[in-house]
Amino acid sequence: MRLTPLPHGRVMATLQINNLHAKVAEEDGETILRGVDLEVRSGEIHALMGPNGSGKSTTAKVIAGHPAYEVTDGSITLVLDDEDVADIDEEVPPEMREWDLLDLEPNERAALGIFLGFQYPAEIEGVTMTNFLRQALNAKTEEREELFEDDDDVDAEAEESGYDTSPMEGAADDGEIGVAEFQQLLKEKMELLDMDEKFAQRYLNAGFSGGEKKQNEVLQAAILEPAIAVLDEIDSGLDIDRLQDVSEGINALRDEQGTGILQITHYQRILDYVEPDHVHVMIDGEIAESGGADLAEKLEDEGYDWVREQVYETA
């Protein structure tokens, strides 16, 4: 099965989390998630709120496949629809429309449309933003091709050309997306997010302010065009100006690309700018309460104690 170049447009999918239990991946590791149920569709914004230590960031990392956690029960499934497989030349069979993410590596989950925006992005000297983003996009495209190829096709290509995908070798235009094409794409995305083009010539997060690092996370999502973007406390440490900038970028991901957003946050303030379709409250590793945007306002006024009391009363 062959793929045409990955289109730069809307992708649609549904992320389904059912009865998810997870613990720290070590002997006698602490159990953190105790039965999480959640469904996020492309084009929706979900806010996941809760007190410190309730399991919000663990949920994000488990979705992405972080090796520090072991899933002990439950499932995480990504269901693709017609738009999400529009780049595939041949008809995609039903069994390739539904993917058990727990059976996949982090890079494979990313290729299918999962993105994790980090709370504390790493700084990498010597690697420009432009090179990093183009390599990331090409890696995603290549991995996606391999996921949807027949085993016979993969074996034939391996014999013919091998699997040499090192970014340190080959011509500058190697990869599905060449330099000229990527430069145009990058320009479009930076205009969409109202970012200065000089930003892309700097080294990856090196010397960036906290706000610039968070803007960079949104830019990465804009370039990679995930079906579902999980943003882990992207609002932490931002002043009001940067908060507005980042929020405008998140809204653009949803409005212009159809990305589904799972926004993890402690505070209601970002939700003044990124209005959620759904708000969920996590307590002790479970989603204890769900509602609309007004739920976040109630939490801001009353805190989490009333949710805890409900949980303990029904336990």
Side-chain angles (χ1 to χ4, degrees):
M1 184 177 293
R2 300 300 303 162
L3 279 70
T4 58
L6 192 66
H8 308 305
R10 290 175 179 264
V11 290
M12 303 299 292
T14 302
L15 178 68
Q16 300 171 342
I17 303 174
N18 295 306
N19 193 35
L20 184 65
H21 292 68
K23 66 167 191 162
V24 176
E26 58 186 38
E27 189 174 354
D28 299 323
E30 177 187 4
T31 296
I32 300 177
L33 303 184
R34 297 178 171 84
V36 176
D37 293 299
L38 183 63
E39 182 172 289
V40 181
R41 297 177 182 271
S42 295
E44 297 179 342
I45 294 181
H46 291 244
L48 182 59
M49 306 181 72
N52 288 329
S54 59
K56 303 184 302 299
S57 292
T58 297
T59 299
K61 292 174 182 176
V62 170
I63 291 170
H66 198 295
Y69 302 96
E70 175 185 344
V71 174
T72 57
D73 198 3
S75 63
I76 307 177
T77 305
L78 187 68
V79 182
L80 308 178
D81 77 358
D82 290 340
E83 282 195 52
D84 197 46
V85 294
D87 56 316
I88 301 171
D89 289 338
E90 300 177 25
E91 183 177 355
V92 178
E95 62 269 20
M96 298 187 78
R97 298 289 188 100
E98 188 169 312
W99 295 80
D100 181 355
L101 295 190
L102 298 181
D103 287 340
L104 302 177
E105 295 298 321
N107 55 302
E108 295 173 318
R109 301 182 195 198
L112 288 173
I114 299 296
F115 175 85
L116 174 61
F118 292 104
Q119 183 177 358
Y120 303 109
E123 298 186 12
I124 304 178
E125 290 277 2
V127 177
T128 65
M129 285 285 302
T130 298
N131 287 335
F132 171 78
L133 290 171
R134 189 174 76 89
Q135 292 292 343
L137 180 58
N138 276 326
K140 176 185 176 180
T141 303
E142 181 178 339
E143 186 66 57
R144 184 177 174 87
E145 290 176 351
E146 293 183 6
L147 283 170
F148 283 100
E149 281 180 335
D150 294 329
D151 290 340
D152 291 343
D153 292 338
V154 174
D155 292 342
E157 288 188 8
E159 292 179 5
E160 181 179 343
S161 59
Y163 289 101
D164 185 7
T165 59
S166 170
M168 302 302 293
E169 300 179 11
D173 266 352
D174 274 0
E176 194 79 43
I177 313 299
V179 171
E181 180 183 358
F182 180 77
Q183 290 287 358
Q184 180 59 38
L185 173 65
L186 180 60
K187 180 180 179 181
E188 292 171 1
K189 296 301 185 181
M190 298 191 81
E191 288 177 353
L192 175 67
L193 302 178
D194 195 24
M195 296 176 66
D196 189 333
E197 291 184 27
K198 294 179 181 178
F199 192 78
Q201 302 307 316
R202 298 167 63 183
Y203 292 145
L204 182 61
N205 291 324
F208 283 24
S209 67
E212 288 174 331
K213 289 180 180 180
K214 301 303 176 68
Q215 278 188 294
N216 181 31
E217 294 296 285
V218 176
L219 176 60
Q220 289 180 48
I223 291 290
L224 296 175
E225 296 187 343
I228 306 294
V230 183
L231 305 178
D232 188 10
E233 296 191 34
I234 200 167
D235 55 330
S236 64
L238 299 184
D239 61 32
I240 190 65
D241 291 330
R242 285 296 185 186
L243 179 64
Q244 291 176 346
D245 292 339
V246 169
S247 297
E248 289 174 3
I250 295 172
N251 286 326
L253 293 179
R254 190 268 305 271
D255 296 339
E256 303 298 329
Q257 297 184 177
T259 299
I261 306 293
L262 179 57
Q263 170 66 60
I264 296 171
T265 183
H266 282 290
Y267 306 109
Q268 193 268 339
R269 65 174 190 156
I270 191 173
L271 306 183
D272 289 336
Y273 306 101
V274 181
E275 184 174 354
D277 301 295
H278 306 275
V279 176
H280 312 279
V281 184
M282 180 166 277
I283 301 288
D284 296 334
E286 299 179 73
I287 293 180
E289 188 79 11
S290 294
D294 57 336
L295 176 56
E297 296 174 1
K298 183 176 181 179
L299 293 170
E300 183 76 7
D301 293 337
E302 302 181 23
Y304 296 107
D305 286 345
W306 65 274
V307 186
R308 288 193 184 92
E309 291 172 3
Q310 285 185 178
V311 171
Y312 297 147
E313 285 174 2
T314 58

